[in-house]
Amino acid sequence: MKKIFTLYFLLIVIIAIPIEFFINTKDGIGITENQSNLEYTLGFPYSEIGLKFPIYNDEHFMISFSGGFDIMSNSFQLNIMPYLNIDSFQMKFPVFLTTKPATPNEASEVGRLYFGVVPSIYLKDLNIKFEIGGYYSSIYFWYDPAFNLNIPTPKTDELFRTRIDLKITYIKEEFSIGIGYNFLIRWLSYRSMFITSNDTPYLEAKFKIIF
């Protein structure tokens, strides 16, 4: 399966010009490109391919469908994202499912469903984009070979958990440079308080490459 994904993405790279190279201290490195309705990312550790379409033939309302594979965590991700574009303002509503193969004879979580809201605004005079993403998860999939007949069971997580991602990006036609901060927030009901964990500041740079 990994070889098929790799060969497919390499074929896309050959026919897609120009492309954009990116490096992100949190998400890895790779290349990405949009070709009409086709979008793809070929990178390490994550690669993805998807399609986007206007809703009701209106370019302000779009929806994208994509799927990808993370080679480090050996997990797949399926995404559906409607979004709205109005001048310099954009609002995304990502919904994505992460899954990984079950370990034989071992009970474990094999998938999790996330819902998100990602507003952003681009200040053209300053070439600066502000973006904040909030992602919430309360549904996961549990695999127990002793009781589930090899079928993962959806369960509701009693622990409130969400992820916040803040990013500021300076954008030019040939390149962009951004700084961000990603952190998790969880609610501890027995202490009636929020806690944060896995805080990650990061840098991101993108450069267009024309062959």
Side-chain angles (χ1 to χ4, degrees), residues 22-209:
F22 71 87
I23 180 170
N24 186 300
T25 57
K26 175 174 64 72
D27 297 326
I29 63 174
I31 56 176
T32 183
E33 184 56 282
N34 299 328
Q35 292 289 332
S36 184
N37 298 107
L38 176 67
E39 303 175 314
Y40 76 87
T41 296
L42 175 62
F44 178 85
Y46 184 73
S47 296
E48 179 180 270
I49 185 169
L51 297 171
K52 63 179 180 180
F53 305 95
I55 300 177
Y56 300 118
N57 295 320
D58 189 337
E59 295 294 334
H60 295 295
F61 298 92
M62 305 285 291
I63 187 169
S64 66
F65 303 89
S66 61
F69 179 75
D70 190 311
I71 194 172
M72 295 294 290
S73 62
N74 191 30
S75 63
F76 291 89
Q77 183 167 308
L78 301 175
N79 312 279
I80 300 176
M81 186 173 67
Y83 55 96
L84 168 67
N85 295 302
I86 301 178
D87 294 328
S88 299
F89 176 77
Q90 185 179 74
M91 179 73 80
K92 301 178 181 178
F93 302 93
V95 178
F96 58 94
L97 171 68
T98 60
T99 64
K100 61 181 180 180
T103 302
N105 303 318
E106 180 180 322
S108 62
E109 179 182 312
V110 295
R112 181 167 286 274
L113 186 64
Y114 292 86
F115 300 90
V117 177
V118 186
S120 64
I121 186 168
Y122 177 51
L123 305 181
K124 296 180 180 179
D125 294 338
L126 300 176
N127 296 320
I128 292 178
K129 181 179 180 180
F130 295 92
E131 181 177 279
I132 178 171
Y135 307 88
Y136 170 70
S137 175
S138 63
I139 300 174
Y140 66 98
F141 295 85
W142 184 259
Y143 171 76
D144 190 337
F147 301 101
N148 296 340
L149 300 176
N150 297 326
I151 301 175
T153 301
K155 293 181 177 290
T156 301
D157 198 339
E158 296 180 358
L159 178 66
F160 174 89
R161 64 177 75 209
T162 188
R163 178 167 62 88
I164 306 296
D165 194 311
L166 308 173
K167 185 166 67 172
I168 301 175
T169 308
Y170 178 73
I171 300 174
K172 297 291 285 185
E173 184 177 355
E174 302 84 5
F175 69 93
S176 66
I177 299 175
I179 58 174
Y181 194 77
N182 181 83
F183 58 96
L184 300 178
I185 299 178
R186 298 181 181 180
W187 171 257
L188 300 182
S189 57
Y190 63 91
R191 297 181 61 183
S192 297
M193 64 178 294
F194 285 103
I195 62 171
T196 62
S197 62
N198 296 328
D199 293 10
T200 307
Y202 62 92
L203 298 174
E204 179 184 80
K206 296 181 179 181
F207 305 92
K208 286 190 176 180
I209 304 172

